[in-house]
Every structure is written in structure tokens, then in C-alpha cells.
Amino acid sequence: MKIKYQDLIEQTFEFPQEEFEVHDNELYFNKIPLMDIIKQYGTPVKLTYLPKISSQIQKAKRLFNVAMAKVDYQADYKYCYCTKSSHFSFVLEEALKNKINLETSSAFDINIIDELYNSGIIGKDIFILSNGFKRTQYLENIVRLINDGFINTIPILDNMDELQYYTDNVSKNFNVGIRIASEEEPMFSFYTSRLGIRYNDIVPFYHEMIETNPKIGLKMLHFFINTGIKDTAYYWNELNKSLNVYVELKKVCPELDSFNIGGGFPIKRSLGFEYDYEYMAEEIVAQIKSVCDQHGVPEPDIFTEFGSFTVGESGATLYSVLDQKQQNDRELWNMIDSSFMTTLPDSWAINQRFILLPVNRWDAEYQRVCLGGLTCDSQDYYNDEAHTNAVFLPKFDKNDPLYLGFFHTGAYQESLGGYGGIQHCLIPAPKHIIIDLDENGDFSPKLFAKEQSYKSMLKTLGF
Ligand SMILES: Cc1ncc(COP(=O)(O)O)c(C=O)c1O
């Protein structure tokens, strides 16, 4: 009878996969023997596999450039990384090796831009797209960038009043973008996004406030669908509505030449993940071209701001199972050595699923378990996966420790979990390892941060 954990996986999915392989009952992630990492650094531990960031960027560039070539598209594709997905210096440094641009969302992001410029990683010609509803500090920082000669800084207007600050404070001609407030999916709890300017207000606003001011150029229209780029009637409908605004504006606003479709390329959250990236990129490019052709306007440069797609698949979070508790006839709790609420907050807050696999003991029999975190919060658990309403893992054995990995956890989890700050029940932030490949193609792990200390937490608490 086939009852080993490895049998379960091989019967359920195509396995091994591009980034997951098993040798001698131990898991390799992008060819990294994870047990070696655990032996060297212990658990809990977060890791970032840097080469994945570059390969994702190159993949998107290839997809859009091929899609453009297929329809003889007469403008360019521009990749922006949306910094809010992971602000870590090593992420930005890796991403920026690939000639990309950046999207910012708050005042301190501009201080990151300063750091990158001062260390020679970016030049003043990089596109900086500044989104968000902006407080004064953010507005001041954006204006400083433009006045300092970052010629491609484009504030994306989130509301009509925002423009006045730039008009009053930018000392030269400058460009802006407008974010379109998209309609939310039909089942959402409200109809229209709070972000951006309503469809019907955009053209009148342009005539009244931008066309009449020779200092301002409207360069970009931006739209972003919160639920991501999906092959649904809803997505194509929103894309089309935004394109119609684009062509209407383009007819009266010659300097408009960029259409920004925001973020939302998905990542693999289950071993059964299927998504036709090629088809989606081709369809988006073809639709943009087709609407422009129908209206006799030139195609725009297409900007994307992929966050999860850039950095999500580079990350993994490894834990040990500390013990197993049996709380009734059926429920077995594997207690992990950290907290889901603080290290993978999306799993708790929006029920986000990640790929979950054991790191060792793939030859053991499997059993159904619930996973429990260390906080006293009853919500600190993980007990289903994207493909099934249960978690199966190798049988717990007190004498043979079991290690688990959650994979593709590289986006948003640190910023949402308040990495390095106060954590629920004061469970410390785990250590963080960065893994790169050296010139021979061998992997070299480096400790980025130790496990958070009680001293740092108590200091924040005022002790
Ligand atoms: C304006 C904007 N652009 C890009 C993104 C990135 O989205 P994703 O991580 O889904 O690619 C976001 C995410 O919230 C966003 O608000």
C-alpha cells in the first residue's frame, strides 16, 4: 500500500517541479538542500533566494515583449517594481540589476529612493511612479525629487486636489499620471475603489486643471484591479473601460503616452497552480492595441507594477514541529516554533494559502493534522491548503524531528507582520537568510538578521 508522504504528493501532483525536488527524503527548494540550511541556522528561519527575483522580472519582460512583437506593437513595455511588496535593500538591489523602474506608496519610500541614488544603484532617469493618497511629507518628498532632477518622477494623482501642491511647489515643467478608480468585483463589499479618480471626472478635470496649465503634462493613466490579473469577464471589462478613457483623453492630450495596468500577476500558491501567463500577456497587449487602432490613436507604453510576482516566489519560511497534541479523537495539533499571525500574517488576515511541504521525512507515513502557532490566539492556526480542505504531513515522531516549509512567502509578510517590531505575545521575528549563487553557480547563504532579541522588543516597549 502506498502510504508514504512522498506517494501522496506524487499521486496528487506532477512532482518534482521546477523549484521543488526531493533527494533522500529531504526537500530541495531551487536546488538548495533545505536541511543544510536548517542544520546551519536552526528554525524558525525566513529565507530569500535572490536569483528568483531576477528570473521573474526577465520572465515578465520576455512575455510582454514577445506579445508586443506578435502584434507589431509600436511602443515599449516598462517593468516597475512596487516597493511595498518587500522594501528590503537586498530585494531592491537584486531587482534593480534588471533595468527596472519603481513604484512608491508613501513618504519613506522616497527616502529609499535617496539611498539607492546615493549608493549609485539608480540614476535620475529612472521612472518613479508615486501612488497613494498623500500626506504633506510624501508630497514634499516627491516635489524634492522632481526639483532635484529626477526627470521621470510621475506623481499619480489619487484625487483632484493633489495637483495643486505640485503646481505651487515644483519649480519646472513636470508630468503627472491619473489613477482611475476602478469598480470592484461584483461580490465585494463596496462598489468603487477608494483609490483614484472616478471615470467620469477624468476628462473634465483634464480640461479644467491640466490642459490650461503649460507647466503640467498628463503622461500616464493608471488602473489597478485589486483582485489581480485574471481571465474573467470582470477583468477584461475593467481593462476596456480604462482603455476607453485612455483613447478619449489621448485625442485631446497629445503628451499622454503611457498606460499603467498596475500589479496583480499571480504566483504559485499550490503545487497544482495553473496560469497561462503567455496568454494573459498576449491578450492584454492585443486588447490595448485593438482599442487604440479602433480610435486611431497610437499605442501607449505599457507599464506594470508587479509586486507579488517579483518577489513572492523568492521567499520561504521554515519551522520545526515542537510537539504534537491530541485534543479529541480526530484532531491532532502539530505545534510550530513560531506564529502564523506574525510571520505569515496573510494566512490569518485574508486566508491566503501558501505552498506547504515537509522539509524532511518524505518516506514517513502521512497523517492529517492541524498546525498551531505559539501565540495564545485561537486564530493562530493553519489547517487547509489551496487544493484541499486539510493539511497532511509525515507522521509526528518525538524521536525524529519534523521540519516544515511554507513557500513563496516573499511578498508583503514582513511589512504586514511589522517585522522587527512588537509581535503578538512577543513571539520574536525569525532570523532571515539571503541565498545567492556565486560565480560557479554554487549557493551561498548569508545571515541577514538574527532572531529578534528581547532587548529590541523591550526597548520599543519603553523598558
Ligand atoms: C498601485 C499598486 N500597484 C501595484 C501593486 C502590487 O500588486 P501585486 O503585488 O498584486 O502585484 C499594488 C498592491 O497593492 C498597488 O496598490
Side-chain angles (χ1 to χ4, degrees):
M1 203 165 62
K2 294 203 157 193
I3 50 171
K4 287 194 302 184
Y5 181 83
Q6 184 151 0
D7 298 329
L8 173 73
I9 292 297
E10 286 172 353
Q11 285 165 4
T12 315
F13 306 106
E14 294 280 330
F15 194 87
Q17 301 196 351
E18 189 191 341
E19 62 281 71
F20 299 108
E21 292 161 60
V22 170
H23 300 287
D24 292 333
N25 303 310
E26 294 178 354
L27 185 66
Y28 286 57
F29 173 54
N30 292 301
K31 313 256 181 274
I32 303 156
L34 293 177
M35 277 311 296
D36 288 4
I37 300 290
I38 291 176
K39 278 179 199 144
Q40 190 174 350
Y41 296 99
T43 63
V45 61
K46 290 210 165 200
L47 61 90
T48 302
Y49 178 66
L50 291 176
K52 188 70 187 181
I53 296 172
S54 286
S55 66
Q56 288 290 91
I57 295 172
Q58 291 305 330
K59 175 173 167 178
K61 285 190 172 190
R62 210 165 40 243
L63 286 166
F64 278 89
N65 285 325
V66 167
M68 285 174 157
K70 278 194 176 165
V71 293
D72 193 22
Y73 196 91
Q74 295 299 314
D76 294 329
Y77 171 60
K78 297 214 159 47
Y79 192 103
C80 299
Y81 171 56
C82 127
T83 60
K84 66 183 143 269
S85 330
S86 176
H87 297 98
F88 284 104
S89 53
F90 52 84
V91 169
L92 280 153
E93 283 162 21
E94 180 68 28
L96 285 160
K97 287 178 187 163
N98 299 277
K99 272 182 85 82
I100 59 159
N101 304 286
L102 296 172
E103 186 247 358
T104 66
S105 34
S106 75
F108 295 174
D109 257 333
I110 307 297
N111 301 105
I112 292 183
I113 303 293
D114 294 338
E115 289 287 331
L116 292 169
Y117 178 73
N118 291 336
S119 27
I121 294 170
I122 58 172
K124 288 192 173 177
D125 57 343
I126 186 170
F127 278 95
I128 308 285
L129 311 182
S130 293
N131 266 302
F133 193 102
K134 303 170 183 74
R135 293 204 302 170
T136 312
Q137 182 70 64
Y138 192 17
L139 294 167
E140 281 173 10
N141 289 358
I142 292 168
V143 166
R144 174 171 56 73
L145 274 191
I146 301 174
N147 287 342
D148 277 358
F150 282 81
I151 46 172
N152 290 320
T153 297
I154 306 181
I156 309 287
L157 305 180
D158 184 73
N159 59 76
M160 294 185 269
D161 293 340
E162 190 185 321
L163 185 63
Q164 194 59 47
Y165 189 90
Y166 307 120
T167 315
D168 293 344
N169 294 284
V170 176
S171 58
K172 47 180 85 167
N173 290 352
F174 64 99
N175 288 321
V176 294
I178 292 180
R179 177 162 180 166
I180 302 175
S182 50
E183 301 303 324
E184 298 290 352
E185 270 193 0
M187 299 305 283
F188 219 59
S189 36
F190 39 82
Y191 295 113
T192 309
S193 169
R194 73 179 189 287
L195 305 153
I197 298 176
R198 291 161 51 163
Y199 285 94
N200 292 342
D201 290 340
I202 291 175
V203 176
F205 171 64
Y206 168 74
H207 284 305
E208 204 177 314
M209 301 298 296
I210 300 180
E211 192 179 26
T212 50
N213 189 333
K215 221 170 126 179
I216 317 169
L218 173 60
K219 186 173 173 68
M220 174 178 289
L221 265 196
H222 178 295
F223 104 107
F224 174 54
I225 296 292
N226 173 31
T227 44
I229 298 182
K230 293 195 218 154
D231 188 15
T232 58
Y234 162 70
Y235 181 78
W236 298 121
N237 190 36
E238 285 306 305
L239 176 68
N240 251 283
K241 273 169 27 194
S242 299
L243 279 170
N244 282 321
V245 180
Y246 181 86
V247 291
E248 199 184 335
L249 260 179
K250 177 71 187 173
K251 287 176 193 165
V252 290
C253 171
E255 70 272 17
L256 181 70
D257 65 4
S258 302
F259 187 68
N260 181 345
I261 62 169
F265 243 12
I267 61 167
K268 186 166 165 181
R269 299 200 184 274
S270 146
L271 293 183
F273 174 74
E274 278 178 23
Y275 183 86
D276 195 341
Y277 289 100
E278 207 174 293
Y279 162 77
M280 290 304 286
E282 284 180 11
E283 200 53 38
I284 290 169
V285 169
Q287 296 236 5
I288 296 175
K289 182 172 165 66
S290 149
V291 175
C292 289
D293 285 354
Q294 279 164 32
H295 289 264
V297 304
E299 302 96 302
D301 286 340
I302 299 175
F303 284 70
T304 57
E305 299 169 347
F306 297 144
S308 300
F309 179 83
T310 310
V311 72
E313 294 190 5
S314 68
T317 314
L318 311 181
Y319 307 102
S320 304
V321 176
L322 291 176
D323 204 352
Q324 188 173 72
K325 297 179 76 179
Q326 175 142 19
Q327 300 299 75
N328 62 29
D329 290 350
R330 289 186 313 149
E331 287 168 352
L332 290 169
W333 283 92
N334 278 8
M335 300 299 299
I336 61 156
D337 55 353
S338 188
S339 154
F340 293 112
M341 294 177 80
T342 60
T343 56
L344 296 178
D346 270 348
S347 70
W348 154 66
I350 54 168
N351 203 32
Q352 183 66 266
R353 303 296 88 177
F354 298 96
I355 295 173
L356 160 62
L357 293 168
V359 176
N360 62 337
R361 302 192 47 226
W362 279 59
D363 56 341
E365 277 180 41
Y366 63 86
Q367 65 181 174
R368 182 177 180 175
V369 293
C370 304
L371 293 177
L374 284 184
T375 70
C376 57
D377 201 303
S378 60
Q379 297 301 314
D380 197 354
Y381 69 91
Y382 193 96
N383 71 348
D384 52 19
E385 295 194 65
H387 63 280
T388 166
N389 203 13
V391 165
F392 293 97
L393 283 173
K395 255 190 179 167
F396 179 74
D397 177 348
K398 255 195 175 358
N399 301 313
D400 196 357
L402 177 63
Y403 302 100
L404 319 172
F406 282 77
F407 297 93
H408 299 177
T409 58
Y412 299 108
Q413 301 316 293
E414 281 78 12
S415 43
L416 295 177
Y419 174 80
I422 302 308
Q423 308 277 321
H424 197 2
C425 291
L426 304 190
I427 307 296
K431 41 181 107 57
H432 197 140
I433 312 294
I434 305 170
I435 301 179
D436 205 354
L437 296 178
D438 62 21
E439 48 300 341
N440 304 320
D442 297 326
F443 75 92
S444 54
K446 222 172 52 196
L447 181 67
F448 170 73
K450 290 196 229 162
E451 182 170 273
Q452 189 177 13
S453 69
Y454 77 88
K455 279 192 182 155
S456 91
M457 252 196 231
L458 265 60
K459 185 162 181 258
T460 310
L461 290 170
F463 289 100

